[in-house]
Amino acid sequence: MWYRRLLLALLLAPALLWLFALIILPHLDLALLSFRERVAPREYVASLAQYRTFFGEPLYWHVFVRTALMSAIATVLTLLVAFPIAWIIAKLARGRMSALLFVVCLIPFWVSETVRTLGWMILLRESGVLPALLVHLGITREPVELLYHDATILVGLVYTSLLFMVVPLVSSLESLDNALIEAAYDLGGKGWSILREIVIPHAAPGITAGCIVVFMLTLGNYLTPTLLGGKSSQWFTEQIYTQFITRFNWEQGAAFGFLLLALSTAMVWLGLKISGQRFSDVMRRA
Amino acid sequence: MISISGRCVLTVLLVLGLVAGAPARADNAKVLRIITWADYVPAEVVAQFRKETGIQVEVTLSNNEEMISKLRATGGAGFDLAQPSQDRIFGAQQEFGIYKPFDTSKVRLDEFVPELLATVRTNATIGGRLYGLPYVWGTEGLVYNSKRTRISDYGDLCKPELRGRTAVRLKRPTLMAFALASGKNPFALYGDTKAYTALMQQIGKTLTACKANFRFFYDNKDQLLNGMRTGEIYAAMMWDSGGWALNRENPDIKFINPRSGAIAWMDTFALPARGRNDAGAYAWINFVMRPEIAAKVAKSIGNFTAAKGADQLMDPRVRAQFAESFPDGLKNIKWYPAIPPGLEAIEGEVLDRVKAAD
Amino acid sequence: MNAPTIAVSGATPDLEVRSVSKRFATHVAVDTLSFSVARGSFFSILGPSGCGKTTLLRMIAGFIQPDSGDIAIGGRSMAQVAPNRRPVNMVFQHLALFPMMSVAQNVAFGLARRGVGRAERLRRAEAMLERVGLAGAGGKRTDELSGGQRQRVAIARSLVLEPTLLLLDEPLGALDLKLREHMKLELKQLQSAFGTTFVYITHDQSEALVLSDHVGVMNHGRFEQLGTPQELYYSPATSFVADFVGANNRLAGKALSITASLVEVDTGGGWVVRARRHGEIAAGAAVEAFIRPEAAMLGRTPAELPAGQTAHSGEVTGMLFDGANSVVLLRESRSGLQLRIALPQTGAYSDLTVGARVCFTFDPERAICFPARAASA
């Protein structure tokens, strides 16, 4: 019926408009920006210079690779931390207990990312709570600086990402029939072989979904790596910000933005390939 | 996922709210939108201005780079008055055309300290027309904890015993300071791209070699102030107002004029190219340049203003601190000249290398 | 019930359960239960849901630890042995085939866990699939199989490990009736072909009777009776067994007079029946009498019934035609009690209609009378 279609179109219109006006249009604009070069004040020509700069300047792709690697490590760590939590929520805890655990994972999101990260800084700085505690317990003789290390960034990123990993994992683990685990055990399986042969294959869509979401969030994170990172720590989003805001070099910033988009697309594709999942299945889990 | 869709819904509501809220704004002439630095527009002054003129002031806090970027993004719209540093007007105007010139007949120029006005005239005049007026000035020098160490120039931040105990901003003022400390005058090389690049690269090497001494590169004043207060940082590059604030809390912390000279900055008034309320902007400028209002502003910022006679009304404690930090008065102070377009790219590359170095 | 043991010639029983108890909070799931299962036999545990049979099975498999008592499999105590190390495998209620693996991988799973090499385990899995009639199905996904085939995979997956004991947890429960009948036969054939000891739990008495060599009828954590299907059917030890195993007409009443072997029961309403006495019954005590539908004989008039037996009369309230299992439902004239009586297979009474009056009789020796249960259902 034509009026049904009209109704559907009207219902979808706000979402499509939003998608077009706030996501697609700016990206088209950025794409155009990234392919031009300043030759003189207010004078620009079409060029691949921005991309050439990226590949020609080791500094930039070092930061790029570093950001990708750190994000991958953070994703793996998040998975390792989230899996037992998800297992407990899905399989062991009952009723209120599992709701409580969910809330615990949600707590980080009750305060803004800025406040949360500043909280970490107060906790970890040399004159902060944790170093003082370490001295008090006799573990270190002098307060040590726990801030400004790569490990600190990782801890912050894992903490921020935990919920986004736990949710898809719980939903995929909940659908795992306990009888399958018992059957595997009954047939001589042990903890590790059951995990590898039964649990992980079953939870694969959830694991992939969680990893994709966490990887993308981490890759695109700005505050946590910038505030917790040390004086040598660079994150690619920070580089994009710098190009746009402090260098007034929108062309370079746009090119960097597209390179980051390409990276995250490539990683998603790779993740799906490695885990043998289909995008639509995985997105249903997320 | 719950929280993602939650965020989306929030975003949509926000956008809808902005769209719905826009027409509800008051009459253009009744609102003055200023993009400026923290503390530059004290609430008390805003209230008095409103009482006298009926104009409501809306303040957006920012810094030099963001001011330029925001105005660039809108082609100079969205604000009626901006307050960039005097050296950042020329290049930005050349490159992006985000400002419009002042009609000097609408400003009471005799309210300004003549030397400061002259500096801005030199740096912010394009095609014979003036694009900036002085507002507040101050210096960037060194701050140190005298219980821990004693330093006299920028280069002293790299002394071996200060390993991990100093901090600077990873921005152009630091490059300028270390260039001055190396005995060169970077400002003289502004016009010579090649020589300037070579100097910057040399300073980049100096900073890289000194990197072990920097505990962090700070992005905002509070980060450094906290570092000094807690004793994590012994010595740092710092603005005079911040140094004096620390000195008031703890007399052991001193702000000094380095041997190579403190670098003086001056923030200005500038009219965004597509501002809607120029009359309001002129009214505001004339209002805050009155000595008694300027003194209030100076108290809020902790720096001196460009208003004639406001010095005399300044907090005597700050005047005493100024005298202690600058025993020779303003003799050994370096003013930033206007930055020609393109310099930031050279500096940016050097700064990136310093950051990436291990 | 004292430890009932099924006599086997000398060999160690494959399963021995000795005074095993299990309690959950206030509820006693298994109550000091003892029995043993002879090698190579098909043993069923039959009982209504909640009787403790699943708990018992899971204790044998090792998923639950008994509070007291011991379980020995193949003569070895299983007290400290984890489920993955017991010579026992289980066929789960919903089979629990691994959906992420092919049929052959399912069957080879246990062999892989025992460290059998890849080629060898695939060969053995294929051989096992052939034995259960699934030759060539190894490469299929489990959801491509029919319900019966899936069950055979589940059994093959367990039997390929050559367990001493195979536990089956109501595997037919989820199947439709026709397939269930078919799978009953198949299970029986598989069991005799492999010779493995099967311990089978079910709430379906017909499955238990058809399949088993011996059946333990379980109620409230204890065995009411342990015996062959024939013993359960013809000589129920308790009124629960009489009620639960096979179709039966239950008549509650009061004992009028007791002779050496017979009891006269007043069913209320003045209808008196006679039945074989089981257990101590005093005159005036509450009793339950049971008459199997096939133990009664039908006649249109008293004259058609065998001489010398008491004739009773009733009115037809319904005909349930089910081929050889057809019954007629009667309302007894004096008591108004409902009875079901088997129709002879001659088809002689196929013209009976609702409302018709008929006579019936039964041999008191084939009816049985128990003292009433304390809390009779």
Side-chain angles (χ1 to χ4, degrees):
Chain A
M1 297 306 187
W2 66 270
Y3 58 86
R4 286 247 172 132
R5 279 202 200 146
L6 182 70
L7 193 68
L8 192 71
L10 280 174
L11 282 172
L12 280 175
L16 290 176
L17 201 72
W18 181 64
L19 197 73
F20 185 74
L22 292 175
I23 295 174
I24 296 177
L25 263 185
H27 273 87
L28 286 176
D29 196 30
L30 284 179
L32 290 177
L33 261 181
S34 77
F35 286 109
R36 62 175 214 187
E37 185 190 2
R38 171 191 179 276
V39 285
R42 303 193 214 178
E43 226 178 280
Y44 300 91
V45 293
S47 133
L48 286 172
Q50 313 305 336
Y51 293 93
R52 256 200 311 272
T53 309
F54 174 79
F55 289 106
E57 173 59 67
L59 179 71
Y60 296 137
W61 55 262
H62 277 169
V63 175
F64 189 74
V65 170
R66 180 189 136 83
T67 307
L69 275 180
M70 291 273 284
S71 297
I73 295 171
T75 306
V76 171
L77 287 178
T78 308
L79 178 62
L80 292 181
V81 174
F83 200 91
I85 300 174
W87 182 263
I88 290 169
I89 292 175
K91 291 292 169 200
L92 304 178
R94 310 239 170 270
R96 286 176 69 179
M97 185 62 187
S98 89
L100 192 77
L101 278 168
F102 246 123
V103 168
V104 168
C105 292
L106 205 71
I107 281 175
F109 297 88
W110 283 353
V111 291
S112 80
E113 194 183 5
T114 320
V115 175
R116 199 184 330 141
T117 309
L118 290 174
W120 279 87
M121 295 181 72
I122 292 170
L123 212 64
L124 296 176
R125 64 187 307 160
E126 184 188 336
S127 56
V129 179
L130 211 58
L133 190 73
L134 289 180
V135 173
H136 183 77
L137 294 175
I139 296 169
T140 55
R141 275 197 302 131
E142 305 241 300
V144 285
E145 181 68 86
L146 297 176
L147 262 185
Y148 314 127
H149 300 293
D150 283 356
T152 317
I153 303 182
L154 286 176
V155 170
L157 289 174
V158 168
Y159 179 82
T160 311
S161 313
L162 209 50
L163 183 75
F164 299 97
M165 187 67 91
V166 166
V167 169
L169 279 184
V170 166
S171 85
S172 69
L173 287 177
E174 260 173 355
S175 68
L176 173 63
D177 185 357
N178 286 341
L180 290 188
I181 298 165
E182 280 183 357
Y185 199 38
D186 183 71
L187 292 167
K190 293 184 192 70
W192 169 242
S193 66
I194 294 174
L195 187 71
R196 196 186 61 222
E197 303 274 343
I198 310 293
V199 180
I200 290 177
H202 178 88
I207 293 173
T208 317
C211 286
I212 287 176
V213 171
V214 168
F215 183 79
M216 284 179 161
L217 284 177
T218 311
L219 200 65
N221 200 326
Y222 175 75
L223 268 178
T224 306
T226 326
L227 290 181
L228 296 181
K231 55 195 175 188
S232 304
S233 144
Q234 290 217 69
W235 208 254
F236 203 64
T237 47
E238 193 185 346
Q239 191 54 250
I240 294 176
Y241 177 88
T242 309
Q243 291 298 343
F244 267 99
I245 304 297
T246 55
R247 305 281 154 71
F248 316 124
N249 195 346
W250 289 12
E251 293 74 28
Q252 190 67 71
F256 284 178
F258 271 92
L259 288 163
L260 196 65
L261 186 68
L263 173 67
S264 85
T265 311
M267 291 300 252
V268 169
W269 179 82
L270 200 71
L272 291 172
K273 265 275 170 296
I274 289 174
S275 63
Q277 301 293 317
R278 281 212 314 273
F279 189 67
S280 55
D281 291 349
V282 167
M283 283 302 110
R284 256 199 296 279
R285 294 274 179 189
Chain B
M1 193 166 294
I2 306 158
S3 54
I4 280 194
S5 59
R7 277 189 193 176
C8 292
V9 168
L10 265 177
T11 316
V12 169
L13 287 179
L14 233 125
V15 169
L16 290 179
L18 286 179
V19 171
R25 273 168 186 269
D27 188 8
N28 287 348
K30 291 285 161 212
V31 177
L32 179 65
R33 299 162 303 164
I34 306 182
I35 182 161
T36 184
W37 306 72
D39 305 329
Y40 274 33
V41 179
E44 186 196 350
V45 176
V46 167
Q48 198 180 335
F49 182 65
R50 187 174 194 187
K51 228 196 238 155
E52 285 188 18
T53 62
I55 297 174
Q56 173 71 39
V57 175
E58 287 175 3
V59 176
T60 303
L61 298 184
S62 191
N63 59 43
N64 269 324
E65 289 87 3
E66 268 185 32
M67 257 179 236
I68 297 170
S69 294
K70 279 188 178 168
L71 290 173
R72 180 187 176 187
T74 59
F79 299 97
D80 305 311
L81 189 62
Q83 304 214 268
S85 294
Q86 50 101 8
D87 55 321
R88 306 297 283 260
I89 297 175
F90 182 79
Q93 177 61 18
Q94 291 277 52
E95 194 80 36
F96 312 123
I98 51 180
Y99 299 118
K100 57 185 159 195
F102 279 103
D103 177 351
T104 45
S105 68
K106 291 187 176 155
V107 189
R108 290 201 305 275
L109 289 177
D110 53 346
E111 295 275 21
F112 292 88
V113 176
E115 294 86 344
L116 298 178
L117 185 58
T119 304
V120 176
R121 273 193 194 281
T122 313
N123 288 338
T125 302
I126 302 167
R129 311 187 72 177
L130 184 60
Y131 281 82
L133 288 169
Y135 180 46
V136 171
W137 68 275
T139 62
E140 188 163 1
L142 289 169
V143 66
Y144 68 88
N145 189 329
S146 59
K147 273 270 166 63
R148 299 285 193 179
T149 185
R150 187 162 293 275
I151 57 172
S152 62
D153 204 0
Y154 301 110
D156 292 346
L157 292 177
C158 300
K159 287 200 290 190
E161 65 263 32
L162 288 176
R163 192 183 170 85
R165 294 297 175 186
T166 70
V168 295
R169 287 182 299 157
L170 196 57
K171 293 209 169 162
R172 64 184 316 271
T174 307
L175 292 175
M176 299 304 114
F178 277 80
L180 289 170
S182 76
K184 303 267 171 54
N185 181 359
F187 306 136
L189 299 178
Y190 268 15
D192 181 351
T193 309
K194 217 168 150 201
Y196 190 74
T197 308
L199 176 61
M200 286 301 115
Q201 280 170 351
Q202 182 204 323
I203 300 308
K205 288 201 185 93
T206 309
L207 288 175
T208 304
C210 185
K211 209 171 164 186
N213 275 33
F214 302 134
R215 187 174 202 83
F216 49 70
F217 295 121
Y218 64 97
D219 285 318
N220 61 69
K221 192 167 70 179
D222 290 325
Q223 195 184 355
L224 182 71
L225 293 183
N226 281 329
M228 291 295 297
R229 283 188 190 116
T230 56
E232 289 172 12
I233 301 292
Y234 297 168
M237 268 184 78
M238 186 63 190
W239 293 287
D240 47 13
S241 58
W244 292 330
L246 286 169
N247 177 256
R248 287 195 289 277
E249 290 167 25
N250 177 1
D252 293 335
I253 299 178
K254 311 278 190 205
F255 176 79
I256 58 157
N257 181 12
R259 211 167 44 230
S260 317
I263 306 172
W265 49 266
M266 193 187 328
D267 292 336
T268 65
F269 298 106
L271 294 174
R274 288 162 64 198
R276 292 185 308 212
N277 190 3
D278 290 348
Y282 284 114
W284 172 260
I285 293 169
N286 288 324
F287 177 75
V288 292
M289 278 297 131
R290 289 187 210 157
E292 76 278 12
I293 306 293
K296 283 182 189 167
V297 171
K299 196 176 175 203
S300 160
I301 306 173
N303 279 111
F304 295 94
T305 72
K308 225 190 270 172
D311 285 13
Q312 312 313 314
L313 299 171
M314 190 77 186
D315 182 353
R317 258 206 311 181
V318 175
R319 281 197 289 170
Q321 284 178 316
F322 181 84
E324 194 192 337
S325 298
F326 295 94
D328 305 330
L330 298 181
K331 241 190 271 164
N332 187 22
I333 285 181
K334 307 283 194 288
W335 287 94
Y336 283 114
I339 309 171
L343 275 198
E344 274 116 334
I346 298 168
E347 293 155 4
E349 212 169 285
V350 170
L351 294 173
D352 278 345
R353 279 182 204 288
V354 174
K355 171 103 185 188
D358 271 316
Chain C
M1 190 115 306
N2 297 326
T5 309
I6 301 140
V8 270
S9 48
T12 326
D14 270 348
L15 171 66
E16 268 189 285
V17 172
R18 304 185 194 112
S19 308
V20 163
S21 292
K22 183 71 195 178
R23 168 187 296 277
F24 295 114
T26 58
H27 165 71
V28 183
V30 174
D31 186 3
T32 43
L33 192 64
S34 301
F35 65 95
S36 60
V37 176
R39 175 158 304 166
S41 66
F42 196 123
F43 184 83
S44 289
I45 300 164
L46 170 67
S49 59
C51 72
K53 60 187 189 297
T54 301
T55 306
L56 177 59
L57 194 77
R58 293 175 67 80
M59 284 195 287
I60 299 170
F63 294 126
I64 301 179
Q65 286 301 310
D67 293 337
S68 60
D70 187 29
I71 294 169
I73 295 168
R76 205 156 64 87
S77 167
M78 291 289 125
Q80 300 303 323
V81 185
N84 54 355
R85 308 189 72 95
R86 292 189 182 198
V88 173
N89 291 109
M90 185 146 153
V91 174
F92 286 78
Q93 191 162 16
H94 301 288
L95 304 179
L97 297 182
F98 304 133
M100 60 291 282
M101 301 178 197
S102 70
V103 168
Q105 284 171 328
N106 262 279
V107 177
F109 180 87
L111 295 172
R113 301 287 80 76
R114 286 187 181 175
V116 177
R118 188 180 150 76
E120 171 66 7
R121 66 178 187 252
L122 284 178
R123 193 189 61 72
R124 273 154 76 173
E126 199 48 57
M128 176 54 72
L129 283 171
E130 203 177 317
R131 282 183 78 182
V132 299
L134 286 171
K140 288 190 177 176
R141 289 207 321 270
T142 56
D143 56 7
E144 291 172 321
L145 302 180
S146 71
Q149 288 172 323
R150 288 165 58 80
Q151 171 162 302
R152 278 184 267 165
V153 173
I155 292 170
R157 182 174 77 172
S158 294
L159 290 185
V160 79
L161 298 174
E162 295 168 347
T164 308
L165 211 58
L166 183 69
L167 307 176
L168 300 101
D169 183 6
E170 304 202 47
L172 304 186
L175 303 181
D176 64 56
L177 186 70
K178 183 109 181 157
L179 188 59
R180 193 153 62 205
E181 292 301 316
H182 177 70
M183 288 315 298
K184 266 191 228 170
L185 284 176
E186 237 186 63
L187 263 181
K188 185 78 181 162
Q189 283 164 356
L190 279 172
Q191 195 264 336
S192 54
F194 282 90
T196 309
T197 311
F198 277 31
V199 174
Y200 185 94
I201 71 169
T202 181
H203 66 274
D204 183 319
Q205 48 89 24
S206 126
E207 280 174 23
L209 296 184
V210 170
L211 291 171
S212 315
D213 298 317
H214 292 92
V215 180
V217 180
M218 201 170 176
N219 189 29
H220 298 307
R222 291 168 158 272
F223 277 172
E224 295 268 343
Q225 184 173 8
L226 196 158
T228 63
Q230 291 79 1
E231 284 166 353
L232 299 182
Y233 195 84
Y234 294 115
S235 318
T238 66
S239 60
F240 176 83
V241 177
D243 210 10
F244 196 75
V245 178
N248 228 332
N249 290 299
R250 173 173 168 273
L251 308 169
K254 203 179 279 177
L256 288 178
S257 64
I258 294 111
T259 64
S261 65
L262 292 181
V263 186
E264 273 197 321
V265 180
D266 179 357
T267 62
W271 184 40
V272 176
V273 294
R274 287 190 304 155
R276 186 156 52 87
R277 180 175 65 85
H278 195 284
E280 288 303 310
I281 296 172
V287 293
E288 288 170 279
F290 293 90
I291 304 158
R292 297 259 177 224
E294 71 276 14
M297 272 180 80
L298 214 54
R300 292 180 200 271
T301 62
E304 288 182 11
L305 298 174
Q309 286 192 11
T310 318
H312 310 282
S313 69
E315 182 188 328
V316 175
T317 58
M319 299 282 289
L320 303 180
F321 180 75
D322 183 15
N325 299 319
S326 302
V327 292
V328 57
L329 299 180
L330 294 181
R331 190 189 299 115
E332 199 278 325
S333 305
R334 296 166 77 173
S335 63
L337 289 172
Q338 280 283 355
L339 297 172
R340 29 188 318 143
I341 292 175
L343 286 169
Q345 291 173 29
T346 55
Y349 293 93
S350 55
D351 59 339
L352 275 182
T353 54
V354 172
R357 296 199 65 83
V358 289
C359 297
F360 64 94
T361 186
F362 55 89
D363 180 356
E365 287 295 331
R366 293 182 65 188
I368 188 163
C369 181
F370 297 95
R373 277 171 280 177
S376 77

